[in-house]
Amino acid sequence: MTKKEKQNLVLSFFLLIFLGVASVLFLNRVQSTSEYQTLWLHVQNYFPLYVVGLIVYKILGILWPPIPGSVLTFAAIPLIGWQWALLTEVVGGVIGAACAFQLSRHYGSRFVLRFFGQSVLTRIYSIKIRQQHELEALVVIRSITGMLTEAFSYGLGLLNINFRKFLLATIISYIGTIPVFYLGSKSI
């Protein structure tokens, strides 16, 4: 692992931990206070702007991996409800994945190498997908990669993958997040 990869990994890890802890502390501390009520009223008054902002943040989280886009959309559940939070997660995630796919397809492996390093690039090029099973393979890859979903969005753009199948697989892979957001709404 190169020095750049280690720096990105450490930055991502600490940013994720910080935002996760901050959102939990924030929700536990202020949910019943007047500050929370004021925040909730502002979100309701500017609801479309807030939702668009979450989608843009999620897109940026896909395009620049150190930004943890899912943490903020999950933390928005008490403010906008789990359905809207899930919608922002899916819309932002699909648009971001499509942009990452197209960026890597246009700029090539040197572009992906700058973000993720040689080890991830080598793993990406080792993926062999039969064209007749492309959709199924993409759904599985997108569903099980977890934190590496950004790397695969960029990486699959380097392979000879059909863009429409990639988009469909990305949308299908978000089905697994429905119970997470629903259960998240019940626990907050």
Side-chain angles (χ1 to χ4, degrees):
M1 187 178 283
T2 67
K3 184 178 179 180
K4 180 94 170 161
E5 290 172 325
K6 288 179 184 177
Q7 288 174 340
N8 282 343
L9 184 64
V10 168
L11 178 63
S12 298
F13 178 74
F14 283 115
L15 196 55
L16 180 67
I17 297 284
F18 172 75
L19 288 175
V21 169
S23 63
V24 168
L25 291 175
F26 173 77
L27 290 173
N28 287 337
R29 184 174 169 269
V30 300
Q31 201 163 22
S32 61
T33 64
S34 63
E35 290 90 359
Y36 174 78
Q37 300 302 323
T38 303
L39 175 64
W40 188 86
L41 283 173
H42 283 305
V43 168
Q44 299 311 310
N45 288 336
Y46 300 103
F47 190 81
L49 184 61
Y50 186 74
V51 169
V52 169
L54 280 176
I55 291 171
V56 168
Y57 186 80
K58 177 64 181 174
I59 292 169
L60 292 175
I62 298 287
L63 294 178
W64 193 54
I67 298 174
S70 296
V71 173
L72 194 59
T73 55
F74 190 78
I77 291 173
L79 298 171
I80 61 174
W82 73 270
Q83 298 93 339
W84 281 102
L86 177 64
L87 183 66
T88 60
E89 175 77 12
V90 172
V91 170
V94 170
I95 293 171
C99 291
F101 183 93
Q102 293 297 341
L103 282 170
S104 67
R105 178 151 290 175
H106 185 264
Y107 292 108
S109 61
R110 291 181 70 196
F111 184 74
V112 176
L113 184 65
R114 294 182 82 189
F115 277 114
F116 300 104
Q118 186 61 45
S119 62
V120 172
L121 195 60
T122 304
R123 282 190 217 150
I124 288 167
Y125 279 127
S126 70
I127 296 172
K128 305 291 184 225
I129 300 174
R130 292 187 181 150
Q131 197 165 11
Q132 66 266 25
H133 298 292
E134 197 171 74
L135 181 63
E136 297 90 342
L138 290 174
V139 169
V140 170
I141 288 171
R142 295 281 309 168
S143 298
I144 64 172
T145 55
M147 296 294 284
L148 291 175
T149 191
E150 293 90 353
F152 278 102
S153 294
Y154 279 109
L156 292 172
L158 298 174
L159 304 176
N160 192 20
I161 301 291
N162 181 297
F163 179 67
R164 288 183 182 167
K165 287 183 182 177
F166 170 79
L167 268 182
L168 183 59
T170 301
I171 293 167
I172 292 170
S173 69
Y174 276 104
I175 291 173
T177 61
I178 294 172
V180 173
F181 276 73
Y182 175 74
L183 292 174
S185 72
K186 298 300 180 192
S187 64
I188 297 177

